[in-house]
Amino acid sequence: MSSTEPGATALHVADLDVSYRVRGKDRQVLRGVTLEVARGESYGLVGESGCGKSTAALAIVRYLPRNGAVSAGSISVAGRDVLDLRGQKLREYRARTVSMVYQNPGAALNPSIRVGSQVAEAFTVLGVPGGDATDRARDALDRVQIADPGSVMRRYPHQLSGGMQQRALIAMALAKNPELLILDEPTTGLDATVEAEVLDLVSQLQAELHTSVLFISHNLGVISKMCSRVGVLYAGRLVEEGPVGTILRDPRHPYTVGLLRCIPRGGVRKDHGRLDTIPGFLPSLGAEITGCVFADRCALADDRCRAEEPRLDKITPVHASRCWHHDRAATLPRAEIADLELPAVDRAGAPLVELAQLSKVFKQRGHEVHALTEVSAAIWPGETLGLVGESGSGKTTLARTLLGIVPPTAGTALLEGGELPTRYQKRSREELRALQIVFQNPDSALNRRHSVRRILLRSLKKLAGVGGSVAETRMHDLVERVRLTERTLTQKPVQLSGGLKQRVAIARAFAGDPKLVVCDEPTSALDVSVQAAILNLLVELQAEKRVAYLFISHDLGVVRYISDRIAVLYLGRLQELGPADVVFEGPHHPYTEALLSAVPTVDGGGRDRIRLDGDIPSAASPPSGCVFHTRCPRKLGAVCEETEPPLVEVEAGHHMRCHIPLEELRRLQRAESQPMAPTA
Amino acid sequence: MLGPYATEEAVAAYNHEHGTDRPAVVQYVDWLRGIVRGDLGNSLAPPEPPVWDVIEPALVNSMKLAVFAFLIVVPFGILGGVFAGLRVGRPTDRGITVVGLSLAVVPEFVTGLVLILVFSIWLGWLPVTAQWEPGAGALTQVRHLALPAMALAIVLFGYIARITRAGVVEALDADYTRTAYLKGLPRNTVISRHVLRNALMPTIAVIATQVGYLVGGLVAIEYLFNYQGLGLMVLQAAQQKDFTLLTAGVLVVGVVYLVVTLIADIAFALLNPRIRFQAAE
Ligand SMILES: Nc1ncnc2c1ncn2[C@@H]1O[C@H](COP(=O)(O)OP(=O)(O)OP(=O)(O)O)[C@@H](O)[C@H]1O
Ligand code: SF4
Ligand code: SF4
Ligand SMILES: [Mg+2]
């Protein structure tokens, strides 16, 4: 990286300006971006949604949207200028030099062509004849560790899981052994364990092939796992750059500082205080900015910041920041006061909701799919029960059963001691308003044609049974509670950003003063700064109204932050249930252990990842004995295959379903978290 | 049936003879029984031939016209749509879109009249009426059918072209097309292998639904060109209050509609592995 001789860099971007033409005006998205990726290096690019990460990637592969254009600067890959490539030269460049893998693998594969021919195409374009191309495609699929590549070749994309689709695309991208591989959010939307597998695969292949990688993500945890250097992009400007460790430990730009503070990490929990946020919004597309691009949202901004833009100055030979006050960046005042009064949860009293031996069997083409098997749990007023598990483990079915959307096959749900009718159509208004839901995608809950005002008034009428001026007063109260402005009331959902829409959805759920709100991945589609604000809002509402949450998320840092207790589901069975800190700190169930080790965190971690081999087994034919035995790294032997362990209370309030005694688990897991100690 | 000057007795006798004095429900059940036996009944108009004998030639005539119209419009519509889609936003695209839209909003009898004016009356190239002499050869039939088929095709052109264009534009913007380009494939390969196949799926679905519309269009066109097809027959049956013929005609139209939709659905499934495999699994 320090060397500048030609050929030593895989990618060199200099002073790149890119703009999109919208309504007859060119709007600048990238502002003089300069970055360099050395041969064999992996460079991370982070920043919140809309800051121009994908635009940079598309400019490099020369595939900007029709209305986009490079207006200044240069890009060279492997020492060759790529901006003036045309026709055959451009095709050659794409076929041999550069590869890109992006988000949403399902859409990136052609739905009507078999996977095998799609992979083979990447070889035929290099001049490999038909039959050979098929063989090479099979080898390529083998290299990305797809089981049974022969049969995968014959399948259509929709017959593969998301993780397999992404592997196939990686196989395609590596077919040419590219000089530069660009990965644009390659694991966003995948399950945590699948994400971990794909990331492992990429780092392994990268080490093998010495490929240079430009890794784009909004997730600093992923970047810190995958990259050695990182660049922080804000509003199309590179604002900070340096080695990953340095950036995480000693960030010198207020934006980086803010990003790091938004992430619930290091085991913080809601009773430690609010999360910090980054107030305000990204400047609009093509906005004219005179001073520092971050000045509008920066608590350290002064007159100079607004008048004069700082340069990207080196703090050390490898670390640079674009800030006048980088020496004070760490002292950035919090945007949110940390204090939060949270009343303690009283578990001596009666629980608010009780699930008693809930089972759900779906009948599907003659098969019985056991989505839930005898799940029992209780939630007390004002507490949050976090629900985790891979996709397909039954989280959503559990929530829907509680809400009466799907009736259970056996078992009951009780609300304040009274049995709830299994279908919501039969539930009284009292029961309906007591249980509400907030979805990952707020659009599904909000009528797009109605104004926010109309949406909220309708919910007030339906849930609280109030109308007229009472409803008006309540609506304004709600709007204030969820920190929306009065202006939002006249707008329609399409005019709102994801974070604002989620606030409306939360206001709607709170219209009837619910006792329990199911939150199904409520922040998964949001940027970290917006996520922090929404989590703060949920916690504030809980402190104020003693509402309980059933909180579903695949982001374990988020679950840990907001939950009092955590339930771990696998194949529809409760594997572990206990206080959040206990479940996270261990000793934990072998499945929980594997889940936790799969998460790439900003803090890194000493221990190696525990690999969960293969996909989650089908719930139509769950394994015998302990359902986890087919993938369990700590499996004891025959006993695990034959007898299903019962769910027992291994210590006060901590339930677990495993044949290994707690003390033994403690010993095993402690031994492994200290790699220096001799292993047992 | 008996004319406006028939006496009351004559009407009553006629009604009794044909069973039209019975309650409507009874008549309906009777009619259904007949259908199940494959008997559509007799026409109420003298000489009261079996309905099927009236419908069959009309059906064949209409099919000829419809198939002819489809043979013209489907290739042109798809070609136009693909052409426009591949040049989205450029003059070719604007031209095709504007022409297609304008043609689609003109009612078919106006289009038909203009065609007659231009091709039959001014240029004298093609006959005014669609009906050929009995026993005419294939070429003569085609000459007679050319104008009405064109009239139908013109109205449908804009529709098919628009759907195809939308399909192409969507496929061009799809991630899989980007994947194909980034593999370094030449543009022609990307278009023929990756874009067109996915782009044409919605078009096929739409063509199937247009069959219903085509039947509506047939009435106007057959009337204008005085062509003895199903549309004209249904229209005349309605004017003469020949209910047996009318109901049978409508029934046949319904069956044709179902069959064609089914065929289109099958074609759609064959092109689309997602549906094909759902059925197999
Ligand atoms: N074709 C386009 N026309 C106009 N504006 C566009 C176009 N594509 C992207 N933009 C805008 O350009 C800005 C940068 O977009 P880009 O997709 O590069 O961001 P990103 O950092 O990749 O975001 P994300 O994290 O959401 O993927 C955004 O404001 C986006 O709305
Ligand atoms: S230059 Fe000023 S406004 Fe910009 S980040 Fe630094 S302190 Fe904040
Ligand atoms: S019972 Fe056996 S297989 Fe199941 S989690 Fe415990 S050790 Fe693993
Ligand atoms: Mg992006």
Side-chain angles (χ1 to χ4, degrees), chain A residues 253-254 292 294-295 298 300-301 305 310 322-325:
Chain A
H253 193 280
C292 167
F294 191 57
C298 181
L300 295 177
C305 299
R322 192 186 284 280
C323 174
W324 293 122
H325 306 300

Side-chain angles (χ1 to χ4, degrees), chain A residues 239 252-255 291-302 304-306 308-310 321-326 328-329 332:
Chain A
V239 295
R252 290 300 191 90
H253 193 280
Y255 179 58
C292 167
V293 283
F294 191 57
D296 276 353
R297 302 170 75 182
C298 181
L300 295 177
D302 55 21
R304 181 187 186 195
C305 299
R306 286 184 203 94
E308 201 183 331
E309 171 155 49
S321 165
R322 192 186 284 280
C323 174
W324 293 122
H325 306 300
H326 64 79
R328 290 199 281 126
L332 181 78

